[in-house]
Amino acid sequence: WERLRHVKGDIVAVIPGHVEIWLVERLAPETISHLGECLASGVLRATSGGVEFRHELARLAVEESLTPDRRLELNRTAFGAIMDPPSGGLDLAALAHHADAAGDAEAVLRYAPRAAERAAQLGAHREAAAQYARALRFSDSLALEAQAELNERLSYEHYLTGEFDDAIAASTQALERYRMLADGLKEGESLHLLSRLLWSIGRTPEARDLGREAVALLESRPPGHELAMAYAQLSALSTSTDDFKGVAVWSGRAAELAERLGDREILASAR
């Protein structure tokens, strides 16, 4: 391993998991002749088309032993190489990882949300949440609306994985930003979504307060989908406390508005 490291083979340590041979050749071509030694010693093991550390703890130990400037250099180099793969599309998750490690905020904001969307499409919701959280760590330069949207997406991914406290925290951050923007429509929708999250974990009184606040705010604006959803939410909350009069009132309002809007989903829920 020392020989590999001496010829800049420590590039392998800053790439989690599988490292394709083309990437090793691109980043440190002088190491290729020494890979056999590392494989024989058990430091690395062969994978399909590449290599990886036999133990993740060993990789982390080597990575942590790098000086800050060396780690920065290696991650920048890896980012540049992955931007130009020999075939196939870009590895969005890898680009986000190396941009993060290199402290490149612009690149993180470009690739982390895309990596999150891709992960969500594949059903990898924990990975999606991690990528949205990564983007938010670099989001100070973004407009408040963009920050709110990232928090909304993060909240939803946490919700899908049952991480309700984290979902509520992200939803609360989104709500705060919409309030700062004085965007009544988005604030009302955000109040409704936060109400649903609180209700899902049994915090019914808080959920009811937020649900009523959402309705009051949205009723001050032209009626639309958001208000119908808020009505339906208050109806659902009424069921949990056996408030049958409330169920009738709020589901009736939701159904009436849904019919006017032609919104079958809300209409079915209200009925």
Side-chain angles (χ1 to χ4, degrees), residues 30-165:
E30 64 272 34
T31 69
I32 294 299
S33 62
H34 300 287
L35 281 180
E37 298 173 35
C38 290
L39 291 170
S41 69
V43 175
L44 301 179
R45 63 183 173 190
T47 60
S48 177
V51 296
E52 66 181 9
F53 273 82
R54 184 170 294 277
H55 300 290
E56 176 64 5
L57 289 176
R59 186 193 71 79
L60 290 172
V62 175
E63 183 180 29
E64 290 172 3
S65 72
L66 300 173
T67 61
D69 59 323
R70 178 60 174 158
R71 188 181 301 115
L72 189 68
E73 174 196 355
L74 291 174
N75 278 288
R76 285 176 175 170
T77 303
F79 179 88
I82 296 170
M83 279 290 295
D84 184 28
S87 62
L90 294 176
D91 186 336
L92 299 172
L95 288 172
H97 168 81
H98 291 294
D100 185 353
D104 188 338
E106 182 180 350
V108 169
L109 293 172
R110 184 183 308 123
Y111 294 109
R114 290 171 59 188
E117 291 173 11
R118 177 60 175 159
Q121 290 170 356
L122 296 173
H125 297 293
R126 292 187 188 278
E127 170 65 17
Q131 293 291 358
Y132 282 130
R134 169 176 278 149
L136 280 164
R137 291 198 298 272
F138 290 84
S139 66
D140 288 348
S141 64
L142 294 180
L144 286 174
E145 184 176 7
Q147 292 181 31
E149 289 176 357
L150 283 173
N151 274 292
E152 284 182 329
R153 295 182 184 186
L154 175 60
S155 177
Y156 184 61
E157 297 302 325
H158 280 314
Y159 166 75
L160 291 176
T161 58
E163 298 168 319
F164 295 111
D165 289 343

Side-chain angles (χ1 to χ4, degrees), residues 147-227:
Q147 292 181 31
E149 289 176 357
L150 283 173
N151 274 292
E152 284 182 329
R153 295 182 184 186
L154 175 60
S155 177
Y156 184 61
E157 297 302 325
H158 280 314
Y159 166 75
L160 291 176
T161 58
E163 298 168 319
F164 295 111
D165 289 343
D166 291 331
I168 289 168
S171 185
T172 300
Q173 289 294 317
L175 174 60
E176 290 178 358
R177 280 152 180 77
Y178 286 131
R179 281 177 169 161
M180 293 170 67
L181 287 166
D183 186 334
L185 183 62
K186 293 299 293 185
E187 181 183 345
E189 183 181 28
S190 191
L191 282 165
H192 155 244
L193 292 173
L194 185 52
S195 172
R196 290 181 62 182
L197 285 169
L198 290 169
W199 180 47
S200 69
I201 60 171
R203 293 166 62 176
T204 303
E206 296 170 79
R208 185 185 299 110
D209 289 343
L210 289 180
R212 289 172 176 168
E213 188 179 348
V215 165
L217 182 59
L218 292 168
E219 282 184 334
S220 68
R221 306 181 61 83
H225 172 82
E226 294 82 5
L227 178 57

Side-chain angles (χ1 to χ4, degrees), residues 11-13 15-24 27 47 49-52:
I11 185 65
V12 179
I15 304 175
H18 170 80
V19 187
E20 296 184 29
I21 290 298
W22 72 263
L23 186 54
V24 178
L27 299 175
T47 60
V51 296
E52 66 181 9

